[in-house]
Amino acid sequence: MSSISIIGTGNMARTIATLAVAGGNTVEVIGRDQSKAAELAKDLGGSTTTGEFGAVPAGDIVIVALLYAGVVPVVAQYGDALAGKVIVDICNPFNSAGDGLAIPDGTSIAQEVATLAPAGASVVKAFNTVFGHVLKKGRTLDVFFAGDDAQAKAHVSEFIASLGLRPLDVGGLNMAHWLEGTGLIL
């Protein structure tokens, strides 16, 4: 099983963490609001821990479960604390009207994260095409993911499978833009 740190305390963080604990993974919850992170960790039970925001995450996989506007700044703030980690971006950068993406064509939030990621860190886009309310139903779902590092993708694929979901590799990190567009369509 995997060692996971989740930065965020919202619906997707809770849903992925719940599935991760049920799948036998080690989970650390990190939030700007330490009391919210502690409450979520307590609700999850088991050996779930709470990490300190900005400190080195304990997990080998760090899931950034934030609204799109917060993802890049938080990764930048963490900086070298993410060295050697697999960073998973799950966000959907929808514009305020909900009829397009809030990022330029030819890029994605995941690609922007990759430009900031410290040496030895790998970025994978995943979970953005499966929404929390659907994940909660517990049905076997396909989870598309993309990234440039084969080893990081294999690790994320194993993690996705541990949740009872089907991992589907769609290619390199350049495909993250298309996954974000697919999230909009869904």
Side-chain angles (χ1 to χ4, degrees):
M1 294 302 121
S2 299
S3 173
I4 308 301
S5 292
I6 299 178
I7 300 174
T9 57
N11 292 333
M12 280 298 285
R14 177 178 292 275
T15 301
I16 292 171
T18 299
L19 293 171
V21 169
N25 298 283
T26 302
V27 177
E28 173 188 51
V29 178
I30 303 168
R32 285 187 194 273
D33 183 331
Q34 192 70 25
S35 64
K36 276 186 170 180
E39 182 179 327
L40 177 53
K42 182 181 175 189
D43 290 349
L44 292 169
S47 61
T48 305
T49 61
T50 305
E52 182 181 333
F53 190 85
V56 175
D60 297 326
I61 296 175
V62 178
I63 299 171
V64 184
L66 303 170
L67 296 175
Y68 84 89
V71 174
V72 171
V74 165
V75 170
Q77 180 179 349
Y78 269 78
D80 288 340
L82 296 173
K85 306 289 183 180
V86 177
I87 304 165
V88 178
D89 164 37
I90 71 166
C91 80
N92 278 311
F94 302 156
N95 67 20
S96 60
D99 62 0
L101 297 176
I103 56 168
D105 286 341
T107 192
S108 67
I109 297 297
Q111 288 169 295
E112 291 179 15
V113 166
T115 64
L116 296 172
S122 300
V123 178
V124 175
K125 181 76 174 190
F127 292 103
N128 75 299
T129 60
V130 182
F131 299 115
H133 67 281
V134 176
L135 278 174
K136 284 181 188 177
K137 292 183 180 182
R139 296 187 182 118
T140 301
L141 300 169
D142 295 331
V143 176
F144 300 108
F145 66 97
D148 291 335
D149 182 308
Q151 187 175 15
K153 289 197 307 184
H155 197 44
V156 170
S157 179
E158 290 171 11
F159 170 66
I160 292 168
S162 80
L163 306 181
L165 306 170
R166 259 188 317 262
L168 296 173
D169 185 345
V170 300
L173 199 58
N174 63 310
M175 294 301 292
H177 176 78
W178 301 108
L179 288 177
E180 290 173 357
T182 300
L184 179 66
I185 291 168
L186 294 172

